[in-house]
Amino acid sequence: MSATPREHTRTYYLGKLATELEQRGLTALLRSDPPALRVSHPDAALMAETVDCAALSEGWFYRWSWGELVGPADDPALAAERIAHVLATRR
């Protein structure tokens, strides 16, 4: 069964976010069904979170696993900064 246009859009936005997260030193693995990113800090295995992307009436948004919005999907750099901040390790 092929993916719907909505799933393609979600996967596209998650791919953009994954690139931004990897540039910040985080690991981002794309889960396919349903599309979501498993984001982790490579130096702290317990520092991980699942982020998805959802279409709302105002547009597409990245969301934390508990449903709170991370940021608009058309600004993956901003979302990546917020995610990196949350997953930052303290030295």
Side-chain angles (χ1 to χ4, degrees), residues 47-75:
M47 300 298 290
E49 179 57 47
T50 300
V51 176
D52 73 354
C53 190
L56 304 176
S57 60
E58 302 86 19
W60 284 87
F61 289 85
Y62 298 114
R63 292 188 306 190
W64 296 107
S65 61
W66 59 89
E68 184 178 331
L69 298 181
V70 176
D74 61 356
D75 193 351

Side-chain angles (χ1 to χ4, degrees), residues 16-68:
K16 301 285 263 180
L17 179 58
T19 299
E20 291 287 339
L21 291 165
E22 289 168 354
Q23 290 174 356
R24 288 161 178 77
L26 298 173
T27 302
L29 301 173
L30 180 62
R31 183 181 70 197
S32 61
D33 190 25
L37 286 179
R38 181 68 177 165
V39 183
S40 60
H41 193 289
D43 296 332
L46 294 177
M47 300 298 290
E49 179 57 47
T50 300
V51 176
D52 73 354
C53 190
L56 304 176
S57 60
E58 302 86 19
W60 284 87
F61 289 85
Y62 298 114
R63 292 188 306 190
W64 296 107
S65 61
W66 59 89
E68 184 178 331

Side-chain angles (χ1 to χ4, degrees), residues 7-21:
E7 289 173 338
H8 287 297
T9 301
R10 181 177 289 122
T11 301
Y12 168 79
Y13 283 129
L14 290 170
K16 301 285 263 180
L17 179 58
T19 299
E20 291 287 339
L21 291 165

